[in-house]
Amino acid sequence: MKIKFSVKTKIFLVILAPSLLLFFVIYLDYRNLNALGSSAESILSKNYKSIQKAQQVRQIVEATQNRILSTIFLNPEPIAEVPVSIPEITRLLSDCNDNVTEAGEQKIIDTLFTEVKRYEAALSLLTRAFHLHKRERLYPLSYDFISISASMNSKLNDLVLINEKAMETAEKRTKRVAESALQYSTGLLILAIVFTLVLSYLLSKRISQPLIGLAQSLSTIKEGSGDYPKIASTTRDEIGFLTREFNRLFERLKIYDQISQDKLTAEKLKARQAEEAKARLIADLSHQLKTPMTSLSMSVGMLAEKADRLKPVQRSTLFETAREDCAKLTELINELVDTARLEGMVRPRAKELIHMEALIAESIKPLLQQAREKNIDLNIDIEAGLLPLAIDSLRFPWVITNLVGNAVRYTGKGGKITLRVQKLEDRYYFTCQDTGIGIEEKYLSKIFDRFTQFSEREKSGTIGLGLAIVREIIEQHGGDIRVQSKIDQGTTFTFWIPVRQEGEYEEKGTDR
């Protein structure tokens, strides 16, 4: 499932949006700082330069005035030299004229240039009087010079005052810009914080709500209930993907629970059928025990009471009847022993290493006489060089005995039975094949079930436990068994045992 809008993208956008807003705030602060810098620069470059030049002119004028006055009134010696500073004053006023920025400033500078000419003329007269040593003319000329100097200082003060007022105005404007920038930046910063909080809350709510819904839905699920919710998928991110995967899991669990329920129902049905079969078995067994026991009791009673009065043929018939009844009773008792053996095979036993030749020879020994009596060709085919196999030495031989015994029982006179053992890859394969009467196909699927009876077994007086025990023992060894059969053509049982099995085994002798 393709994820179109992932949680990672959402979180990135949560971080990106306030980051962009903060960058915008930083940009505005940068512009405001530039404006403040420009305002400060304006104060320095436009006004302060004019003030500085005007003050320098004033200092020159005052210094010249003081020098002349001190020369006139304090030095009794003839005046040798009067300082001339007109070019410096003219240069400074020219700088002020080049830096006119305020209204009225140009008029003052033009007036100062006019005053400089008067100042220069007065200074020339004083200089000439100094050179001619005419002290009587110095006093009236000095009064004119002082008057012109005072007028220039007054104009210079006006020039300084205009620029100082302009500086005060610029300073106030700078403060207003700074305050406005501070308020603007603070407002934007607060807006960015609020926007970030709101966006974070909305996104966290959008992310958490599907998770909460998913968790609540999962908390209501009961294991094995078969009732699983269909969780709505409202997003196209990882949470939606997880929700859809949970829905798929619930669908599989629902199918699994249904299969488990069907298996449980089948097992219950099978158990009930087994109980019913067991009940029928007990009834049949009671009847099967009663019939030969009654016949045996009658035969033995007649032989005990009337043996001397019976003819040899009659006695022989009674003895044969008693022998047959005893054989039937023996078969039934053996089946009952098999029942007890099947119930006692719950716990596995330790395994031992045993050679196949010794195992097969010991297992079929009780059956050789029966095979000879029926003239059956019992052929044993064991692959050469087989290594000992780890098996249960008490239970496993019974598998061979039971399979070969059934083959002898259901194979007619002159028939053939082949028991073959071979190794293929990591398994030992055992095959028991006979040329007997065979088994109908409809019984093959149930032949390994407990208490399963069909026509030929009913005739033989068995209760259907032998093959169930065989399968239990083989499965305890980690193997499996299969059967193939056709009526009047014979039956083939094939089972396998793995070479390596779990569990410990004991080393035993091989002369079994």
Side-chain angles (χ1 to χ4, degrees):
M1 184 65 67
K2 186 177 180 180
I3 297 174
K4 291 188 175 180
F5 198 56
S6 66
V7 175
K8 179 177 69 175
T9 304
K10 294 178 182 178
I11 296 175
F12 173 74
L13 291 178
V14 170
I15 299 173
L16 179 63
S19 298
L20 293 176
L21 188 57
L22 288 175
F23 277 121
F24 181 66
V25 171
I26 293 172
Y27 170 72
L28 292 178
D29 287 342
Y30 174 75
R31 290 187 58 186
N32 292 330
L33 288 175
N34 279 339
L36 289 174
S38 299
S39 178
E41 184 180 359
S42 174
I43 293 173
L44 293 175
S45 63
K46 293 181 179 180
N47 302 109
Y48 181 73
K49 186 176 180 181
S50 295
I51 293 173
Q52 185 183 30
K53 301 299 181 180
Q55 288 177 345
Q56 288 177 0
V57 172
R58 186 168 57 187
Q59 289 175 358
I60 294 172
V61 171
E62 290 178 351
T64 303
Q65 178 180 325
N66 292 334
R67 179 74 178 274
I68 290 175
L69 291 177
S70 64
T71 302
I72 293 173
F73 295 104
L74 298 178
N75 189 1
E77 298 294 328
I79 299 174
E81 182 182 358
V82 176
V84 179
S85 56
I86 300 302
E88 182 67 15
I89 293 174
T90 303
R91 184 183 65 79
L92 292 173
L93 290 177
S94 297
D95 291 341
C96 290
N97 189 55
D98 294 337
N99 195 43
V100 174
T101 57
E102 305 300 329
E105 189 176 0
Q106 185 66 54
K107 183 178 180 181
I108 294 173
I109 293 173
D110 293 340
T111 303
L112 281 171
F113 275 115
T114 302
E115 292 292 331
V116 167
K117 292 179 180 180
R118 292 178 59 207
Y119 178 82
E120 183 180 8
L123 187 59
S124 297
L125 292 176
L126 278 174
T127 302
R128 188 178 300 111
F130 281 137
H131 283 266
L132 295 175
H133 304 285
K134 296 180 179 180
R135 283 189 173 271
E136 65 279 4
R137 296 189 60 187
L138 289 177
Y139 296 107
L141 290 175
S142 65
Y143 292 138
D144 292 338
F145 178 76
I146 291 172
S147 175
I148 295 171
S149 297
S151 177
M152 287 183 65
N153 285 333
S154 176
K155 296 300 181 183
L156 290 170
N157 288 334
D158 291 340
L159 181 61
V160 170
L161 182 62
I162 288 177
N163 283 279
E164 285 179 346
K165 289 182 178 179
M167 289 179 68
E168 290 178 0
T169 302
E171 184 181 2
K172 292 179 181 179
R173 185 172 62 252
T174 301
K175 287 183 179 180
R176 288 196 301 271
V177 171
E179 291 174 358
S180 176
L182 179 61
Q183 294 175 357
Y184 200 62
S185 299
T186 304
L188 284 177
L189 186 60
I190 294 173
L191 180 63
I193 293 173
V194 173
F195 176 75
T196 302
L197 292 176
V198 172
L199 184 62
S200 300
Y201 172 76
L202 293 177
L203 184 58
S204 62
K205 184 177 180 181
R206 183 176 179 83
I207 295 175
S208 63
Q209 277 184 340
L211 285 175
I212 294 173
L214 179 61
Q216 289 175 347
S217 300
L218 294 177
S219 65
T220 61
I221 298 173
K222 295 181 179 179
E223 183 179 359
S225 63
D227 185 17
Y228 299 103
K230 179 71 174 180
I231 306 174
S233 178
T234 58
T235 61
R236 303 284 293 183
D237 54 14
E238 292 89 344
I239 301 173
F241 177 76
L242 181 62
T243 302
R244 292 187 290 274
E245 289 301 310
F246 267 114
N247 287 332
R248 289 180 55 193
L249 176 62
F250 293 153
E251 289 296 327
R252 292 196 295 269
L253 287 176
K254 188 180 297 183
I255 296 173
Y256 174 79
D257 288 345
Q258 184 62 43
I259 294 174
S260 299
Q261 187 65 33
D262 293 342
K263 287 183 178 179
L264 181 59
T265 303
E267 290 295 330
K268 289 181 179 179
L269 178 61
K270 187 176 179 180
R272 185 169 65 250
Q273 291 174 348
E275 290 297 326
E276 293 174 354
K278 193 172 183 179
R280 290 195 303 270
L281 168 68
I282 293 173
D284 294 342
L285 185 60
S286 299
H287 175 73
Q288 292 176 9
L289 284 172
K290 182 177 180 181
T291 300
M293 183 61 70
T294 302
S295 175
L296 177 62
S297 177
M298 290 176 59
S299 299
V300 173
M302 290 181 64
L303 289 171
E305 294 175 1
K306 304 177 181 180
D308 54 345
R309 289 177 289 175
L310 295 175
K311 296 179 180 180
V313 176
Q314 292 176 331
R315 286 198 301 271
S316 176
T317 301
L318 290 173
F319 277 122
E320 182 64 24
T321 301
R323 190 181 69 82
E324 292 177 356
D325 291 336
C326 287
K328 291 181 180 180
L329 290 173
T330 300
E331 290 287 343
L332 292 172
I333 292 172
N334 288 336
E335 293 287 345
L336 292 175
V337 172
D338 291 344
T339 303
R341 181 179 296 174
L342 182 63
E343 299 298 331
M345 285 197 309
V346 177
R347 293 182 59 186
R349 299 176 69 253
K351 296 179 176 59
E352 307 169 12
L353 288 174
I354 300 177
H355 284 284
M356 289 299 99
E357 293 84 353
L359 172 70
I360 300 299
E362 184 174 344
S363 300
I364 66 172
K365 187 185 295 182
L367 306 173
L368 295 177
Q369 182 60 33
Q370 298 180 38
R372 282 194 292 267
E373 290 178 358
K374 298 180 70 172
N375 195 25
I376 293 175
D377 181 13
L378 183 54
N379 182 30
I380 307 299
D381 182 10
I382 301 175
E383 182 180 327
L386 292 181
L387 296 176
L389 182 64
I391 58 175
D392 182 345
S393 61
L394 180 63
R395 297 172 180 171
F396 191 81
W398 194 87
V399 174
I400 305 298
T401 302
N402 184 274
L403 293 178
V404 177
N406 284 341
V408 172
R409 179 181 302 165
Y410 298 114
T411 300
K413 294 182 178 181
K416 182 179 181 180
I417 299 174
T418 302
L419 179 62
R420 182 178 296 105
V421 183
Q422 58 183 340
K423 182 177 181 296
L424 297 176
E425 295 181 353
D426 58 347
R427 294 176 178 178
Y428 276 38
Y429 282 85
F430 297 78
T431 303
C432 182
Q433 184 178 12
D434 63 56
T435 58
I437 59 176
I439 304 171
E440 293 185 32
E441 185 176 356
K442 62 181 179 179
Y443 296 119
L444 291 178
S445 61
K446 300 180 180 180
I447 194 171
F448 296 106
D449 295 340
R450 296 184 181 189
F451 309 113
T452 299
Q453 292 180 295
F454 44 91
S455 58
E456 294 302 327
R457 288 189 174 187
E458 292 171 354
K459 291 178 182 179
S460 64
T462 61
I463 59 176
L465 282 174
L467 292 177
I469 297 174
V470 166
R471 185 177 64 177
E472 291 278 351
I473 295 173
I474 292 173
E475 288 179 352
Q476 285 182 3
H477 284 75
D480 196 11
I481 185 170
R482 295 288 183 268
V483 61
Q484 294 178 339
S485 183
K486 290 185 179 180
I487 296 297
D488 297 329
Q489 295 185 20
T491 302
T492 301
F493 286 91
T494 302
F495 69 92
W496 56 267
I497 301 294
V499 175
R500 297 182 181 274
Q501 304 171 42
E502 295 182 359
E504 299 178 354
Y505 59 84
E506 301 176 358
E507 293 286 349
K508 295 290 182 181
T510 57
D511 55 342
R512 295 181 60 85

